């Protein structure tokens, strides 16, 4: 898991090079402002990656999926019940990832 503090947490745009694999990303806590761009896309796609959301994509060099976290929304973006149960999530976002390899 990667911890991002609100509001300045970020992860630079990058392409994974994990051939023969998919990555599952789950967001917990504050909302992440996420960016993705595939090789056939004209423009980057920016979207809100909210707590509980799951993103799955091909993590191979061949797929060349550019992705990153541009910023984290303020602490009001964390679901109230979740923030009350786990106070660290009130001003952080945790990005949890799992990679699935295949042959």
């Amino acid at each position: 898991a990667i911890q991002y503090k609100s509001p300045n947490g970020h992860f630079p745009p990058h392409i994974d090079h994990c051939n023969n694999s998919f990555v599952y990303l789950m967001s917990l806590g504050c909302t992440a402002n996420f960016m993705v761009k595939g090789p056939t896309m004209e423009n980057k796609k920016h979207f809100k990656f909210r707590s509980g959301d799951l993103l799955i994509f091909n993590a191979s060099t061949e797929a060349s999926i550019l992705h990153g976290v541009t910023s984290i929304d303020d602490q009001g973006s964390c679901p109230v019940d979740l923030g009350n149960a786990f106070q660290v999530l009130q001003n952080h976002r945790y990005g949890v990832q799992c990679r699935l390899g295949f042959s």
Side-chain angles (χ1 to χ4, degrees):
I2 301 173
Q3 181 188 61
Y4 303 83
K5 187 168 174 73
S6 170
N8 298 318
H10 67 282
F11 200 84
H14 64 283
I15 295 172
D16 291 344
H17 299 285
C18 300
N19 293 328
N20 299 320
S21 72
F22 282 83
V23 66
Y24 297 76
L25 301 177
M26 188 173 78
S27 190
L28 293 173
C30 295
T31 297
N33 296 299
F34 203 84
M35 179 280 303
V36 65
K37 183 179 183 303
T40 61
M41 297 169 63
E42 282 189 36
N43 300 306
K44 296 175 183 172
K45 170 78 174 166
H46 294 266
F47 62 94
K48 300 284 186 184
F49 197 7
R50 294 182 170 84
S51 188
D53 286 351
L54 179 69
L55 178 67
I56 303 169
F57 63 90
N58 185 332
S60 71
T61 301
E62 183 180 347
S64 296
I65 305 296
L66 180 69
H67 60 285
V69 174
T70 58
S71 64
I72 305 299
D73 285 352
D74 66 23
Q75 54 191 337
S77 67
C78 178
V80 174
D81 290 341
L82 184 64
N84 288 340
F86 305 97
Q87 291 187 356
V88 68
L89 296 178
Q90 290 178 2
N91 63 348
H92 289 85
R93 180 255 183 176
Y94 281 83
V96 181
Q97 66 175 285
C98 179
R99 295 187 185 273
L100 175 64
F102 56 92
S103 33

